[in-house]
């Protein structure tokens, strides 16, 4: 959640227990989510380069994942 706050108002965050290395960040507005994609995609966190993209299911979410090793 702290990672996502760099780009906007995060209202919810969680990890995907079925897909290791994947999580979701929900933002207060679509603008915040779009900004998060621009600002956070390809950023490094704990030695991993993250991929950030808008989610399909919720218009104000951004999916965060690290590439497989």
């Amino acid at each position: 959640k702290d990672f996502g706050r760099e780009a906007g108002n995060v209202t919810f965050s969680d990890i995907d227990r079925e897909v290791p290395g994947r999580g979701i960040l929900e933002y207060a507005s679509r603008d915040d989510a779009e900004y998060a994609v621009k600002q956070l995609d390809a950023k490094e966190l704990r030695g991993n380069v993250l991929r950030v993209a808008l989610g399909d299911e919720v218009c104000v979410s951004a999916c965060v994942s690290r590439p497989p090793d």
Side-chain angles (χ1 to χ4, degrees):
K1 198 170 190 177
D2 290 336
F3 172 77
R5 285 186 181 135
E6 295 177 28
N9 184 13
V10 177
T11 58
F12 175 79
S13 67
D14 200 3
I15 59 169
D16 188 333
R17 298 188 194 291
E18 295 178 17
V19 181
R22 187 172 186 179
I24 187 168
L25 297 169
E26 288 185 3
Y27 287 88
S29 71
R30 182 166 182 89
D31 287 343
D32 280 353
E34 289 173 352
Y35 183 73
V37 171
K38 291 176 187 173
Q39 294 299 309
L40 303 177
D41 189 43
K43 259 192 128 173
E44 188 173 315
L45 178 68
R46 298 183 190 147
N48 295 296
V49 176
L50 303 180
R51 301 301 306 167
V52 179
L54 286 178
D56 295 333
E57 298 167 6
V58 182
C59 68
V60 295
S61 68
C63 295
V64 180
S65 62
R66 61 180 166 83
D69 294 330

